[in-house]
């Protein structure tokens, strides 16, 4: 029985000193295990300091391996040296392209980065070409060296990539722009290692002037980095000796991702606090690793994906789970339509599903395989998911898309898992029955 007069909140946290350290992706005071990448970065950017035109630099690698942190550190050091030596330099960004879903929106963000707060460009009212004219004028007004940093450039809409990744760096050479004195350099940061491969050759050539790859961290490197964050995040002597090595080892086995390691430490600390303990143990850490995948996918549903991307992601998982079926684009679209209708959302056209799947593929959430159906059948794409479907469904249940999870999902998951383990007798799926296979509430 709960005593309603008793206040359940504690006034002291026995575990965390600065928990937010494990939540935020802020630039650290120290950069660990990226000396080679910093050297390559320095060579690429020092042309600005010695009086040459800026280079274009393409940074790529998986999430959580220091790309943005090193870029911010290099940006600050470059601005510091430019100020010391009197080199004219204006740096725009980093602008995170994930936050802008059209060429218009991204160009507007770049314009407003130049302008003071009382002269911001509105989010609508002009043509896209006009917004680019504003951008080119702002670059010319700034003069000197203008370095534009675009983070997560793989999220730039496909129809806008040529404008940003080819035209923008070469705008000073285009006689149709007002740029005569300014020199433009572009730094593009991508989580998708294959992003350059799908670009047009001329765009690839522009981005590839300087390429720097950030590989995953190994367990020893992650151990050093996580110790750095743990010293700031946790109170003294609350972590058992093997907590950080365990978190580092798990993260290294998965993706070599610092963010995942920080998330494990945060979750382990929260579990210890929930248990009323004043020490975080290896048992807490092992338990944290079991839920970290679901928590990461939940972040995609709630923060990283647009609503229609999230519904397409869920629909793809459902299509993969379906017995005796393939996750074709057509089938994914039918499931997406049911998902969208179940959350009272406007259903986009079938043509848009290709764009959503392409965006999910760039973020590493789905992958596709092309099938050749012969001379008369043509070609089609069949999709798969990169995470365990159980984690995706569990995350969806915890998210704002809970109402879109079919009521018979556990039954379908059981069929899927049994099929994965061995042969089984799947439910009969006729074409007519296929439409009613999932029970959307």
């Amino acid at each position: 029985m709960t005593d309603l007069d008793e206040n359940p909140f504690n006034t002291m946290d026995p575990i965390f000193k600065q928990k937010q350290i494990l939540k935020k992706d802020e630039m650290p005071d120290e950069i660990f295990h990226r000396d080679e990448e910093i050297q390559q970065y320095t060579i690429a950017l020092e042309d600005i300091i010695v009086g040459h035109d800026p280079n274009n630099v393409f940074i790529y690698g998986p999430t959580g391996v220091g790309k943005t942190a090193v870029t911010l550190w290099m940006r600050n050091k470059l601005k510091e040296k430019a100020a010391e030596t009197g080199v004219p330099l204006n740096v725009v960004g980093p602008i995170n392209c994930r936050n802008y879903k059209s060429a218009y929106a991204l160009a507007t963000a770049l314009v407003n980065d130049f302008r003071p707060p009382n002269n911001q460009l509105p989010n609508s009212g002009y043509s896209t070409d006009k917004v680019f004219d504003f951008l080119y004028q702002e670059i010319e007004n700034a003069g000197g060296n203008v370095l534009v940093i675009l983070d997560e450039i793989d999220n730039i809409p496909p129809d806008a990539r040529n404008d940003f990744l080819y035209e923008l760096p070469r705008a000073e050479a285009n006689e149709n722009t007002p740029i005569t004195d300014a020199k433009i350099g572009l730094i593009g940061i991508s989580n998708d290692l294959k992003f350059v491969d799908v670009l047009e050759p001329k765009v690839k050539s522009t981005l590839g002037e300087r390429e720097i790859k950030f590989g995953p961290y190994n367990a020893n490197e992650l151990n050093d980095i996580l110790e750095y964050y743990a010293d700031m995040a946790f109170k003294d002597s609350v972590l058992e000796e093997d907590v950080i090595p365990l978190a580092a080892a798990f993260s290294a086995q998965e993706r070599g991702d610092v963010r995942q390691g920080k998330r494990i430490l945060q979750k382990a600390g929260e579990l210890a606090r929930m248990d009323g303990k004043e020490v975080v143990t290896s048992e807490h850490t092992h338990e944290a690793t079991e839920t970290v995948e679901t928590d990461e996918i939940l972040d995609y549903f709630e923060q990283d994906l647009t609503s229609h991307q999230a519904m397409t992601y869920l629909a793809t998982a459902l299509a993969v789970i379906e017995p005796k079926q393939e996750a074709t684009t057509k089938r994914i679209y039918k499931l997406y339509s049911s998902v969208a209708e179940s959350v009272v959302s406007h259903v986009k056209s079938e043509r848009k599903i290709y764009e959503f799947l392409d965006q999910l593929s760039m973020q590493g959430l789905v992958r596709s395989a092309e099938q050749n159906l012969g001379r008369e059948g043509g070609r089609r794409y069949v999709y798969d998911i990169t995470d365990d479907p159980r984690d995706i469904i569990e995350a969806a249940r915890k998210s704002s898309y809970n109402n879109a999870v079919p009521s018979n999902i556990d039954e379908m998951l059981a069929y899927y898992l049994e099929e994965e383990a061995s042969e089984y007798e799947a439910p009969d799926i006729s074409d007519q029955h296929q439409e009613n296979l999932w029970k959307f509430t």
Side-chain angles (χ1 to χ4, degrees), residues 79-94:
K79 291 171 67 175
E80 180 183 310
K81 181 59 70 173
E84 289 177 3
T85 56
V87 172
L89 174 65
N90 287 276
V91 181
V92 181

Side-chain angles (χ1 to χ4, degrees), residues 1 9 19 24 38-39 54 73 107 120 177 179 201 241 247 251 260 266 272 288 299 337 349-350 423 425:
M1 180 180 295
F9 295 103
K19 186 179 178 182
K24 297 180 179 179
I38 288 174
Q39 183 180 20
W73 187 82
Q120 296 283 285
T177 73
I179 300 175
E241 186 175 350
S251 300
Q260 187 178 59
Q266 177 188 334
D299 282 348
S337 299
S349 68
E350 186 171 352
E423 292 296 325
E425 187 64 29

